[in-house]
Amino acid sequence: MDKIWKVLNGVSMCDTWLSVDQEKRGHREVRLLEKLNKLVVETNQVTLPHCTQTMHEQLCEALTRLEAANHMTLRIQQRELEAQQSPYMQASLERRREDWEEFLKEQQSQKEEVDEEHTKAVGRLSCQYSEMKKDLAKFSHF
């Protein structure tokens, strides 16, 4: 009977230890869940509003800069359009076209002169080489 009592007492002690271990584990899990809950609440109440506010400020600043850039671009385009439509600019553009056409005609004329000079030079060189060839043929008989 003593042996049975010792075995039962040992099982009882094991049950107590298991119970204590489970209780400790349960407390740890509860503390962990409480920390997570605190973190979620802090994120929702502090971090998220702060980030949202910062993002809103940055977007407002970017929008203001974009609007200013668009305004400047429109002004530049308007000035260019006005300049293109001015009578002075039209006359200047027409003079540039005429100058360009005259330049191209001069270039064509100079090209034709150079081509003609080249053809004459090739003809002269051909005659000179054929005379040299004849002279060389005379000396090759010796």
Side-chain angles (χ1 to χ4, degrees):
M1 179 86 163
D2 251 356
K3 286 186 180 183
I4 294 175
W5 180 252
K6 284 183 181 179
V7 170
L8 287 176
N9 196 17
V11 169
S12 174
M13 291 293 283
C14 284
D15 287 345
T16 304
W17 289 335
L18 287 175
S19 175
V20 169
D21 283 344
Q22 287 177 353
E23 197 172 305
K24 285 181 181 179
R25 186 178 305 128
H27 286 302
R28 277 183 289 191
E29 290 175 356
V30 167
R31 285 194 309 266
L32 179 64
L33 288 174
E34 287 173 351
K35 285 182 182 178
L36 286 173
N37 189 34
K38 181 180 176 185
L39 183 63
V40 168
V41 168
E42 181 182 332
T43 300
N44 286 337
Q45 293 177 352
V46 177
T47 307
L48 188 61
H50 176 71
C51 288
T52 304
Q53 179 65 27
T54 304
M55 181 179 67
H56 180 68
E57 291 169 1
Q58 296 291 327
L59 286 175
C60 287
E61 183 180 335
L63 181 62
T64 303
R65 288 182 180 187
L66 182 62
E67 287 172 348
N70 282 338
H71 180 71
M72 286 191 295
T73 303
L74 288 174
R75 283 183 25 216
I76 290 170
Q77 288 175 340
Q78 185 178 8
R79 286 181 188 167
E80 287 180 358
L81 184 61
E82 289 171 359
Q84 288 175 354
Q85 292 175 347
S86 74
Y88 174 76
M89 183 61 97
Q90 293 296 328
S92 177
L93 187 59
E94 188 59 35
R95 277 196 313 269
R96 297 285 182 262
R97 284 188 189 127
E98 291 170 0
D99 290 346
W100 182 252
E101 288 175 11
E102 184 179 330
F103 173 75
L104 289 178
K105 287 178 184 176
E106 288 176 11
Q107 290 298 309
Q108 183 63 29
S109 173
Q110 288 178 358
K111 178 187 177 294
E112 290 171 0
E113 288 178 19
V114 168
D115 286 347
E116 185 178 328
E117 288 178 18
H118 178 263
T119 304
K120 288 179 183 177
V122 168
R124 281 194 308 267
L125 286 173
S126 294
C127 288
Q128 187 178 359
Y129 282 130
S130 63
E131 286 180 20
M132 289 171 73
K133 201 176 199 181
K134 288 178 188 176
D135 289 343
L136 188 61
K138 289 179 190 176
F139 291 117
S140 64
H141 291 311
F142 292 116

